[in-house]
Amino acid sequence: MIIGLTGKNASGKGTVAEILRQRSFYYYSLSDVIREKVQEVGLFPSRENLFKMGNQLRLQYGPGILAETILGRLELNKNYVVDSFRSPYEVEVFRKAPNFTLISVEATEGIRFSRLKARSREGDPTTLEGFLEAEHRESENNDESQQQLLKTQRMADRTLVNDDSLEALGGKVNALLQEISNYFTRPSWDEYFMSIAGIVASRSNCVKRKVAAVIVKDQRIIATGYNGTPRGARNCNEGGCPRCNAFAEAGTRLEECLCCHGEENAITQAAYWGISVKGASVYCTLAPCLICTKMIINAGISEVIFNVEYHLNETAFHLFHETGVNVRQYKMGSVTK
């Protein structure tokens, strides 16, 4: 999951981030991008210089540049906490990522100013008036290249009030994690296996089209196959198939094609290793051709799920229907039966 933090100065975002780091979350701050640029040009990283540089970067590269930069650094399958969301455009960038939750960390002006004085950072306001003036400048602005903290906070999915002890805050963070984890999303089996089929297709050596099939039984992959020339033959992308390398017109010179299809290779791989595919399902990135259709039927496969239609499918689909093989289309992101 990705937890984003927003909130006014000294609200405790850094403390929340540290609590999450102790719970194995990887930490990033959108301000890291600004600090890197400030150091690059040789400026002191004061709050004022960071504020001006952030606005300059947004003006030059777009209001979502900080979020785009940090999001590009995140890896799959890790939990992250990302601090310092200050623009609605930054939130919109992260909304495209799965399992993203924005949390607004809040505390009263008096508490926040007391914390500010206690941490005594160079460049921080020394009076309550100066503190509130700087805060107003960062909070409300109609210029999209400037910070718009209030608008950003209104986009938060959850609010975390940090007005008590560190122990109390830790308890609130734990409760919030429990709540967020209940909404943790996982891909459906169709999405899972079709996504794997897409990865398998990337191994294809065919120069015309990359196609793959994944055979599944009891939610377990028992064989995979991608299209390409037969075992031991020269790869298609090395000139092994004259028809593909001539980029023949679709549907023509099929009798000259030396490439085996993804379904064909998956079925023969199962046979090669002595694995029965009877009653299994096959996930195909492209709907099976007529030859592969006959192989699927005779192998005892009971279900075909395909992503993209093949324009020469009519006879194949009729044969599947006649022989009782269930066929349905699954497009990544939607299901069409």
Side-chain angles (χ1 to χ4, degrees):
M1 68 184 80
I2 303 172
I3 294 179
L5 300 178
T6 187
K8 295 179 180 178
N9 194 13
S11 60
K13 301 185 300 298
T15 306
V16 173
E18 181 57 33
I19 292 171
L20 289 170
R21 288 177 72 171
Q22 293 171 7
R23 286 151 178 75
S24 300
F25 279 71
Y26 292 81
Y27 173 80
Y28 278 98
S29 171
L30 301 190
S31 297
D32 291 342
V33 182
I34 305 175
R35 289 190 183 92
E36 291 166 7
K37 191 64 178 179
V38 165
Q39 291 175 359
E40 184 181 312
V41 299
L43 292 174
F44 179 74
S46 66
R47 185 172 182 81
E48 184 67 21
N49 285 340
L50 292 171
F51 176 77
K52 290 179 179 179
M53 181 60 72
N55 291 341
Q56 180 181 326
L57 291 173
R58 294 186 191 95
L59 181 62
Q60 185 174 357
Y61 299 106
I65 182 59
L66 306 183
E68 291 166 2
T69 303
I70 294 299
L71 186 59
R73 298 177 184 180
L74 306 191
E75 301 175 13
L76 295 174
N77 306 321
K78 291 182 179 179
N79 288 334
Y80 289 97
V81 54
V82 182
D83 194 7
S84 301
F85 282 83
R86 294 189 174 95
S87 164
Y89 299 93
E90 295 166 351
V91 179
E92 289 173 3
V93 169
F94 268 77
R95 290 288 187 212
K96 301 172 185 176
N99 301 316
F100 172 69
T101 301
L102 181 65
I103 296 173
S104 176
V105 183
E106 301 181 3
T108 64
E109 292 174 354
I111 290 175
R112 290 188 291 105
F113 184 58
S114 296
R115 290 172 182 161
L116 189 82
K117 290 193 297 182
R119 72 189 188 189
S120 188
R121 290 181 184 172
E122 187 172 351
D124 277 346
T126 56
T127 66
L128 179 60
E129 291 75 16
F131 172 71
L132 295 177
E133 181 183 346
E135 187 168 274
H136 178 75
R137 187 163 41 115
E138 298 174 2
S139 297
E140 298 185 69
N141 203 303
N142 292 324
D143 185 347
E144 66 180 25
S145 67
Q146 305 284 319
Q147 293 185 21
Q148 298 176 322
L149 191 52
L150 286 181
K151 288 183 179 179
T152 306
Q153 286 185 283
R154 293 189 194 108
M155 299 175 72
D157 303 293
R158 303 283 191 282
T159 297
L160 195 62
V161 178
N162 178 25
D163 58 359
D164 205 332
S165 65
L166 181 61
E167 182 181 0
L169 180 62
K172 290 179 180 180
V173 172
N174 284 339
L176 194 60
L177 284 176
Q178 291 297 319
E179 183 181 350
I180 293 173
S181 64
N182 289 336
Y183 296 96
F184 191 85
T185 58
R186 301 171 67 195
S188 67
W189 286 115
D190 280 345
E191 183 180 358
Y192 174 69
F193 291 124
M194 194 65 79
S195 297
I196 293 174
I199 298 298
V200 174
S202 68
R203 279 287 301 167
S204 167
N205 62 63
C206 181
V207 298
K208 287 203 70 176
R209 178 158 44 194
K210 294 179 180 291
V211 181
V214 172
I215 301 177
V216 175
K217 194 170 186 179
D218 298 325
Q219 311 296 5
R220 182 172 59 91
I221 295 173
I222 58 176
T224 65
Y226 51 81
N227 61 325
T229 48
R231 185 194 305 271
R234 187 165 42 147
N235 287 334
C236 180
N237 65 315
E238 297 170 339
C241 178
R243 188 250 178 190
C244 290
N245 280 269
F247 288 90
E249 186 178 341
T252 66
R253 298 172 56 187
L254 296 175
E255 70 281 356
E256 300 175 20
C257 185
L258 301 184
C259 288
C260 302
H261 290 188
E263 302 92 331
E264 181 182 1
N265 276 333
I267 292 169
T268 55
Q269 279 297 306
Y272 186 88
W273 295 105
I275 300 170
S276 172
V277 297
K278 183 179 180 181
S281 299
V282 60
Y283 285 82
C284 312
T285 59
L286 182 68
C289 70
L290 184 57
I291 293 175
C292 288
T293 294
K294 292 184 284 187
M295 291 187 68
I296 289 169
I297 293 168
N298 283 341
I301 292 173
S302 59
E303 184 180 36
V304 175
I305 306 99
F306 67 94
N307 183 23
V308 178
E309 287 198 43
Y310 179 50
H311 70 284
L312 299 175
N313 272 112
E314 188 175 346
T315 304
F317 280 7
H318 176 76
L319 196 56
F320 278 137
H321 179 73
E322 181 182 348
T323 56
V325 176
N326 183 46
V327 181
R328 58 189 176 90
Q329 185 175 18
Y330 177 83
K331 288 187 176 181
M332 295 303 291
S334 65
V335 179
T336 304
K337 293 187 179 180

